[in-house]
Amino acid sequence: MIRSMTGYGSASGVSGNLELTIELRAVNNRYLDVTVRMPRLYLFAEESLKKQVGTVANRGKVDVFVNVASTEDSEVEIAINEPLAKAYMAALETLKGQFGLEGDLTAMQMAKLPEVLNVQRPETDQEAFAKDLSAVMDEALQAFCAMREVEGEKLRQDIAGRLDLIETLTAKVEALSPETVIAYREKLEQRMREVLEGTHVEESRILTEAAIFADRVAVDEEITRLRSHVAQLRDMLQTGGGVGRKIDFLLQELGRETNTVGSKCNDLEIGKLVIALKAEIEKIREQAQNIE
């Protein structure tokens, strides 16, 4: 199944007295780039979360947001570093005396001084916490992947429709190519008669010139390769998986063959078809940028 690189998923759970919430958001990126934002106290679980994302995503910039909240206020204690607070007080009194400063130090000002107040939490069972967090992550990844698959199916349908149009345009180019040679022969014969003013024109000369022109503007090989690339793209859309880079490569080849057809066929109608082909290829390329 085709998957989009953009997606969102979230899940919640508990670990002991902690409430866990995980959100995932992803956008396009050439490679897989996972960023985890979580409280510093639980950073020991960061790498395991990144590995979990790597099991379901091959490309994209994925941001993981982890929120951990305590369900019991009593678990959090604020400890006063009394020796440090007294040292601050003594130092500030000395400053006041030496420099003739005025004003009293308030409790709020004291609390803002480094390390006077320390937040103390009970020790976390890292193994149990990591296991619970992993379970929540699995649930969030399921929602994340489901959304990416829904978006991927929309991309698949759009690209498949454009491939049908490319095949139709290619068939029209193929049909017009022989007509280009016929038209060239008629114009060549007319011009030769005008130049030679009614003198008999050898049919062999016209045939030779027409054959040289036909060989120069022949696009049979390009048409064959165009159809082959379209068939490969269809197979990729059906097979799914991480095919974004392969699709991008084939689109480059489609563009190259289309340009060759345009340069060979000096014909107004074929030129219009080539422009239409390029437009459809470019539209597919824009959609393919979002395929994993």
Side-chain angles (χ1 to χ4, degrees):
M1 180 176 289
I2 291 293
R3 294 189 298 266
S4 168
M5 276 192 282
T6 60
Y8 174 84
S10 66
S12 299
V14 295
S15 178
N17 295 323
L18 299 174
E19 292 181 349
L20 310 177
T21 303
I22 296 179
E23 290 186 43
L24 297 99
R25 299 173 186 171
V27 294
N28 302 356
N29 198 54
R30 189 173 181 182
Y31 304 104
L32 180 61
D33 179 13
V34 183
T35 302
V36 178
R37 294 176 174 84
M38 62 191 306
R40 294 185 61 183
L41 187 63
Y42 307 105
L43 284 177
F44 59 85
E46 179 180 2
E47 286 304 315
S48 63
L49 293 180
K50 288 183 177 181
K51 289 180 181 179
Q52 280 184 268
V53 174
T55 62
V56 300
N58 298 317
R59 291 204 300 168
K61 186 180 187 311
V62 184
D63 289 317
V64 181
F65 302 91
V66 180
N67 184 54
V68 182
S70 175
T71 58
E72 296 183 8
D73 294 339
S74 59
E75 287 192 351
V76 179
E77 296 181 357
I78 305 297
I80 302 174
N81 190 336
E82 293 186 14
L84 183 61
K86 290 178 180 179
Y88 274 128
M89 289 292 293
L92 291 170
E93 289 296 330
T94 300
L95 284 174
K96 287 174 64 177
Q98 287 184 351
F99 298 100
L101 301 175
E102 296 182 356
D104 296 324
L105 188 64
T106 65
M108 184 61 70
Q109 291 171 333
M110 178 65 75
K112 293 180 180 179
L113 295 174
E115 299 182 14
V116 171
L117 299 180
N118 295 310
V119 179
Q120 294 183 339
R121 296 182 176 88
E123 292 187 5
T124 302
D125 184 338
Q126 293 189 0
E127 184 175 349
F129 177 85
K131 182 178 180 180
D132 294 334
L133 188 65
S134 176
V136 177
M137 185 61 159
D138 283 337
E139 187 178 344
L141 286 172
Q142 288 178 12
F144 174 70
C145 291
M147 181 175 179
R148 293 168 73 225
E149 288 174 359
V150 170
E151 293 297 320
E153 176 59 18
K154 293 178 182 178
L155 291 173
R156 188 197 68 78
Q157 292 177 4
D158 183 80
I159 292 174
R162 297 190 185 282
L163 289 177
D164 290 341
L165 181 54
I166 285 176
E167 278 194 325
T168 301
L169 293 170
T170 300
K172 290 181 178 180
V173 171
E174 186 178 33
L176 286 174
S177 184
E179 295 181 9
T180 303
V181 177
I182 295 173
Y184 174 79
R185 175 178 172 174
E186 292 176 352
K187 289 180 180 178
L188 177 64
E189 184 174 2
Q190 181 181 355
R191 289 175 182 173
M192 290 182 70
R193 293 189 187 283
E194 289 176 355
V195 171
L196 298 176
E197 296 180 352
T199 305
H200 174 69
V201 179
E202 295 183 9
E203 183 69 17
S204 60
R205 292 183 59 187
I206 296 176
L207 290 174
T208 301
E209 289 294 331
I212 293 173
F213 177 78
D215 183 64
R216 190 170 70 248
V217 301
V219 292
D220 296 352
E221 293 182 5
E222 289 76 14
I223 295 295
T224 300
R225 285 194 288 267
L226 279 170
R227 288 184 170 139
S228 173
H229 295 332
V230 169
Q232 290 181 68
L233 283 169
R234 280 209 177 92
D235 288 341
M236 289 180 185
L237 292 178
Q238 292 300 323
T239 303
V243 295
R245 290 192 183 93
K246 293 179 181 178
I247 289 176
D248 186 61
F249 171 76
L250 276 178
L251 289 173
Q252 292 180 30
E253 294 302 305
L254 272 176
R256 185 176 293 111
E257 299 300 339
T258 302
N259 286 332
T260 303
V261 171
S263 63
K264 280 188 172 183
C265 298
N266 187 20
D267 178 79
L268 180 60
E269 291 303 317
I270 292 180
K272 291 178 180 179
L273 292 172
V274 167
I275 291 174
L277 278 168
K278 288 182 178 181
E280 292 305 314
I281 293 170
E282 188 58 34
K283 289 174 184 176
I284 294 177
R285 193 191 307 279
E286 291 175 1
Q287 296 285 50
Q289 295 302 312
N290 201 30
I291 294 177
E292 184 180 51

